[in-house]
C-alpha cells in the first residue's frame, strides 16, 4: 500500500477513535449554532480598533505548535488566516489538553482577546474554545499549496482550503457578477429568468444536450443561448431585459470551453449594435475598476488596457490585413474553399462561404486581437439573427469582442423583419442539410412572435466565465468554475 494512503488510513482510524471518546464523554463533536462577532480577516484589518477586545471567531484549524505549557495555532475562514495563542493558565489543564488534542482540519469556535505578540504578529489569545465539527479525514499530504490540478478540480473544497488565492478568485467572481447586476439595474434593465429546457435549441450555433421529460413524453434540449426568449419579451413590451444564467453546449472541453457555462445576455429596444458597443466597453471597464481598481491589468504576463473607447475593426478589413484575402471578391463557396486552401487550411470541399469565413477568422485574425477590439460587420451567412446592413446587404450589423485573442461578447442590431428571418432560417436549414451540425434550427413560435412586431433592438451576449478569467488572471476556465465537468475516475 502507498505510504501516503497508509498514513491517511491510520489518521482516519485515529480520528474516529477520538470521535467515539468525545461522544462517550457526552460531547457533541458536531456542534450547532455559533455566534461569531468577526471574520478572522477583520482582526488584522481593524487591529487598532479591536486590540484588547474580546472576539468570537470560528474557522478551520490548519496548524498547531505545542510548546509545552503554551501553544500556537492557526485557523482560516473565507476572509483569511489568523494566529491563535493559548496556555495552561488561560484554559486550565484539562481544557488545554483538549485543545492540543484537536486535529488539523477540525472546525472550532474561539473566544479570546486580540493582541500582538512580541514579534509583532497579530493574534487572538484563546480563553475558551468549542469544537464545532470534527474532521474525520486529514488534509492531503503537502496540502498547503496543493498543485495536483485533477485533485483540485475534483475536490474543490480541498483546493479552497489549501490555496487562499483560489478562495479569492471565487470571491472576486461573486463581486464581478454582483457589479454587473448593479450596473445594469442602474441603467433600467430588468432581470428576467427564462427556460433552460426547450423543445428546440435556438438562439445560437451549437450542438445541444438532449433529454426527455417522462410525464409529457417529450424530447427536450438544454438551452444553448438565452436570445430568442428575450426577444419574445421585447415583443411583449419590456424595454430592457437581461439574464445571467447557465447555458449548455455539447461540445469539446478546453482551457476556454466547458459544456456548462454562464452567460450574460441583454436586449434593449430602440437601440442598435453601436449602442451595444458603448454599453459593453463601459460595463467591462466599470467592472474592472470595481474589482481591481483600474482599467489596466496584466493577463498571463501581457498588459491589457480596458480603457474605453476600443477600436472598431471591420471583419473584411481584418481578414485582408492578416491574410491578404480580399473577401469581397469571393463570389462562391468553391472560391472560398480555394482561398482557405491557399492559406494552408484543410476544409471539407463542401464547406460554405460562411463556414470558410469562420475558419479563416478563427485561425488568422482572432489570435492577433490582444487588446480589446470590436470585430464588426460580419457576413450574413454566419449571422442568421442579425439585421442586414442597409448599404451592404451581404453583411450585418454585428460585432464580436475579442480580448487576448478570445471571443468575449457577441452582439447584433437584432433582425426584426419576420420575412427576412424566415428566409434566414431556410438558409440555416440548407446549412444543416450540408452537414453543419451547429446550424440553427427552425423556430416557428419565434417567427410568429416577430410577426406581431418587435421594435428595433440591440442585443449582446457575454461569457461570464471568460470575463472572470481575464479579471482574475486565470489561465483556464476550470479555474473560475467551482465544479467543472470531469470524467469519472
Amino acid at each position: 500500500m502507498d505510504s501516503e494512503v497508509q498514513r491517511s488510513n491510520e489518521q482516519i482510524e485515529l480520528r474516529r477513535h477520538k470521535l467515539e471518546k468525545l461522544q462517550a464523554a457526552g460531547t457533541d463533536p458536531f456542534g450547532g449554532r455559533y455566534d461569531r462577532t468577526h471574520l478572522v480577516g477583520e482582526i488584522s484589518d481593524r487591529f487598532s480598533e479591536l486590540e484588547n477586545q474580546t472576539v468570537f471567531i470560528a474557522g478551520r484549524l490548519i496548524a498547531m505548535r505545542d510548546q509545552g505549557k503554551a501553544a500556537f495555532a492557526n485557523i482560516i475562514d473565507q476572509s483569511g488566516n489568523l494566529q491563535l495563542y493559548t496556555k495552561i493558565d488561560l484554559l486550565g489543564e484539562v481544557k488545554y489538553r483538549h485543545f492540543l488534542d484537536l486535529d488539523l482540519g477540525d472546525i472550532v469556535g474561539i473566544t479570546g482577546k486580540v493582541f500582538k505578540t512580541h514579534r509583532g504578529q497579530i493574534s487572538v489569545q484563546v480563553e475558551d474554545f468549542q469544537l464545532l465539527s470534527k474532521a474525520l479525514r486529514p488534509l492531503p499530504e503537502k496540502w498547503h499549496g496543493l498543485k495536483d490540478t485533477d485533485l483540485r478540480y475534483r475536490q474543490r473544497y480541498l483546493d479552497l482550503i489549501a490555496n487562499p488565492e483560489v478562495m479569492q478568485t471565487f470571491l472576486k467572481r461573486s463581486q464581478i457578477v454582483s457589479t454587473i447586476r448593479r450596473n445594469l439595474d442602474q441603467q433600467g434593465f430588468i432581470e428576467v429568468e427564462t427556460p433552460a429546457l426547450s423543445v428546440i435549441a435556438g438562439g445560437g450555433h451549437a450542438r445541444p444536450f438532449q433529454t426527455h421529460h417522462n410525464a409529457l413524453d417529450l424530447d427536450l434540449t438544454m438551452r444553448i443561448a438565452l436570445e430568442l426568449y428575450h426577444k419574445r419579451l421585447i415583443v411583449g413590451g419590456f424595454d430592457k431585459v437581461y439574464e445571467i444564467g447557465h447555458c449548455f453546449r455539447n461540445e469539446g472541453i478546453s482551457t476556454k470551453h466547458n459544456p456548462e457555462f454562464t452567460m450574460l445576455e441583454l436586449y434593449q429596444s430602440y437601440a442598435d449594435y453601436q449602442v451595444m458597443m458603448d454599453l459593453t466597453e463601459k460595463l467591462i471597464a466599470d467592472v474592472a475598476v470595481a474589482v481591481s481598481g483600474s482599467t489596466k491589468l496584466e493577463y498571463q504576463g501581457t498588459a491589457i488596457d480596458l480603457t474605453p473607447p476600443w477600436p472598431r475593426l471591420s471583419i473584411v478589413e481584418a481578414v485582408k490585413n492578416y491574410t491578404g484575402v480580399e473577401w469581397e471578391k469571393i463570389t462562391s463557396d468553391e472560391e472560398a474553399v480555394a482561398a482557405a486552401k491557399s492559406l494552408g487550411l484543410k476544409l471539407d470541399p463542401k464547406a460554405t462561404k460562411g463556414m470558410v469565413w469562420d475558419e479563416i477568422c478563427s485561425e488568422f485574425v482572432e489570435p492577433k486581437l490582444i487588446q480589446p477590439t470590436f470585430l464588426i460587420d460580419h457576413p450574413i451567412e454566419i449571422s442568421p439573427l442579425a439585421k442586414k446592413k442597409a448599404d451592404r446587404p451581404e453583411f450585418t450589423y454585428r460585432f464580436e469582442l475579442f480580448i487576448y485573442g478570445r471571443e468575449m461578447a457577441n452582439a447584433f442590431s437584432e433582425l426584426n423583419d419576420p420575412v427576412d428571418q424566415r428566409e434566414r432560417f431556410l438558409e440555416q436549414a440548407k446549412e444543416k442539410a450540408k452537414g453543419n451540425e451547429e446550424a440553427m434550427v427552425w423556430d416557428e413560435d419565434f417567427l410568429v412572435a416577430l410577426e406581431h412586431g418587435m421594435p428595433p433592438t440591440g442585443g449582446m451576449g457575454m461569457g461570464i466565465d471568460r470575463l472572470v478569467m481575464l479579471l482574475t488572471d486565470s489561465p483556464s476556465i476550470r479555474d473560475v468554475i467551482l465544479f467543472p465537468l470531469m470524467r469519472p475516475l
Side-chain angles (χ1 to χ4, degrees):
M1 183 184 294
D2 180 86
S3 59
E4 184 176 336
V5 173
Q6 183 175 352
R7 284 194 299 271
S8 178
N9 289 340
E10 290 171 353
Q11 278 280 321
I12 292 171
E13 185 176 345
L14 178 60
R15 288 169 184 241
R16 288 189 178 276
H17 179 64
K18 288 183 179 181
L19 173 69
E20 292 167 0
K21 284 179 62 177
L22 289 166
Q23 291 172 329
T27 300
D28 181 4
F30 305 102
R33 170 176 170 173
Y34 187 83
D35 293 326
R36 294 186 293 180
T37 59
H38 300 84
L39 296 175
V40 300
E42 293 180 82
I43 306 303
S44 298
D45 294 342
R46 299 170 54 192
F47 175 73
S48 59
E49 173 190 344
L50 295 174
E51 187 175 11
N52 295 322
Q53 299 295 311
T54 297
V55 295
F56 294 79
I57 56 177
R60 187 180 298 274
L61 190 69
I62 60 165
M64 178 75 78
R65 302 175 293 284
D66 179 11
Q67 297 185 346
K69 294 186 177 182
F72 289 90
N74 284 76
I75 64 169
I76 58 170
D77 67 12
Q78 75 170 34
S79 67
N81 185 325
L82 181 68
Q83 180 172 273
L84 307 176
Y85 168 78
T86 194
K87 54 185 178 179
I88 289 179
D89 295 348
L90 285 170
L91 290 176
E93 185 170 349
V94 173
K95 193 141 194 174
Y96 180 71
R97 296 302 165 194
H98 287 166
F99 185 80
L100 294 180
D101 204 35
L102 292 169
D103 289 308
L104 300 189
D106 287 352
I107 296 173
V108 294
I110 300 293
T111 305
K113 283 190 172 62
V114 178
F115 78 109
K116 188 178 288 187
T117 67
H118 294 303
R119 295 185 177 182
Q121 181 70 46
I122 295 172
S123 309
V124 166
Q125 182 173 271
V126 182
E127 298 171 351
D128 195 10
F129 76 93
Q130 180 180 342
L131 177 61
L132 300 175
S133 186
K134 184 69 185 170
L136 299 183
R137 287 181 178 268
L139 296 170
E141 189 76 9
K142 299 178 182 177
W143 67 271
H144 184 68
L146 185 66
K147 299 301 182 187
D148 184 330
T149 53
D150 192 69
L151 178 62
R152 288 177 52 224
Y153 298 146
R154 289 182 186 279
Q155 296 180 279
R156 182 66 86 182
Y157 48 90
L158 293 179
D159 192 24
L160 293 167
I161 295 168
N163 299 314
E165 68 277 9
V166 173
M167 175 69 77
Q168 291 306 309
T169 291
F170 287 103
L171 291 175
K172 186 170 282 191
R173 179 182 177 121
S174 177
Q175 186 182 6
I176 288 167
V177 173
S178 64
T179 302
I180 290 171
R181 280 197 167 97
R182 185 165 56 252
N183 187 298
L184 294 175
D185 291 345
Q186 289 172 351
Q187 293 186 58
F189 281 86
I190 304 299
E191 185 171 10
V192 298
E193 295 178 276
T194 57
L197 290 172
S198 180
V199 176
I200 63 172
H205 288 79
R207 293 177 61 185
F209 285 97
Q210 308 286 345
T211 188
H212 184 79
H213 189 279
N214 292 331
L216 295 177
D217 190 22
L218 186 63
D219 289 332
L220 298 170
T221 66
M222 303 294 289
R223 68 184 177 191
I224 59 173
L226 315 175
E227 179 167 349
L228 299 188
Y229 281 110
H230 286 206
K231 289 181 179 178
R232 287 168 168 89
L233 296 177
I234 297 294
V235 170
F238 281 97
D239 283 328
K240 296 180 178 181
V241 296
Y242 78 93
E243 183 172 2
I244 299 174
H246 279 203
C247 293
F248 310 86
R249 297 187 177 184
N250 197 354
E251 299 171 343
I253 294 176
S254 73
T255 57
K256 298 181 291 184
H257 299 89
N258 192 67
E260 179 180 0
F261 60 98
T262 305
M263 281 284 290
L264 162 69
E265 289 204 29
L266 59 85
Y267 294 83
Q268 179 175 341
S269 57
Y270 309 106
D272 64 4
Y273 80 147
Q274 295 286 354
V275 173
M276 292 296 105
M277 278 186 260
D278 295 341
L279 182 153
T280 301
E281 64 186 5
K282 183 178 186 305
L283 177 63
I284 292 177
D286 287 350
V287 172
V289 170
V291 301
S292 305
S294 174
T295 55
K296 296 180 179 180
L297 54 89
E298 186 173 288
Y299 182 74
Q300 299 298 292
T302 298
I304 303 291
D305 189 351
L306 300 176
T307 307
W310 301 340
R312 276 87 160 141
L313 177 63
S314 160
I315 198 168
V316 171
E317 179 185 350
V319 168
K320 184 177 180 179
N321 289 347
Y322 292 114
T323 70
V325 174
E326 296 186 59
W327 195 260
E328 291 171 294
K329 295 182 178 180
I330 293 176
T331 59
S332 68
D333 294 344
E334 291 75 19
E335 289 179 6
V337 171
K341 186 176 180 180
S342 72
L343 296 171
L345 293 179
K346 295 181 180 180
L347 298 179
D348 186 329
K350 297 180 181 179
T352 64
K353 279 181 64 178
M355 295 164 67
V356 173
W357 181 278
D358 204 34
E359 286 294 324
I360 289 177
C361 284
S362 296
E363 186 70 24
F364 298 104
V365 177
E366 296 168 11
K368 306 292 196 305
L369 306 179
I370 302 303
Q371 298 303 319
T373 303
F374 292 113
L375 201 58
I376 68 171
D377 299 347
H378 293 238
I380 193 170
E381 296 97 331
I382 56 173
S383 309
L385 296 169
K387 183 173 288 193
K388 295 176 185 176
K389 297 200 73 178
D391 56 339
R392 302 169 74 189
E394 69 273 27
F395 297 96
T396 62
Y397 295 110
R398 175 188 175 189
F399 75 74
E400 289 180 327
L401 167 65
F402 289 88
I403 305 175
Y404 196 73
R406 294 173 181 162
E407 181 188 341
M408 302 293 290
N410 185 24
F412 316 142
S413 293
E414 302 294 343
L415 178 56
N416 64 336
D417 177 345
V419 176
D420 189 0
Q421 185 66 82
R422 188 174 292 274
E423 292 172 355
R424 304 277 193 97
F425 279 167
L426 284 170
E427 290 300 317
Q428 288 293 297
K430 293 176 184 176
E431 288 270 328
K432 190 171 285 291
K434 291 179 181 180
N436 184 356
E437 294 182 349
E438 295 186 356
M440 287 190 62
V441 295
W442 191 277
D443 189 338
E444 183 63 28
D445 182 74
F446 173 64
L447 291 170
V448 170
L450 278 189
E451 287 170 354
H452 284 84
M454 185 177 84
T457 298
M460 186 272 286
M462 181 191 302
I464 294 294
D465 307 298
R466 290 186 184 179
L467 180 62
V468 176
M469 287 172 64
L470 177 70
L471 297 181
T472 60
D473 194 19
S474 299
S476 171
I477 196 170
R478 293 186 175 194
D479 294 325
V480 300
I481 295 176
L482 278 168
F483 300 103
L485 184 66
M486 303 287 289
R487 188 188 300 276
L489 292 172

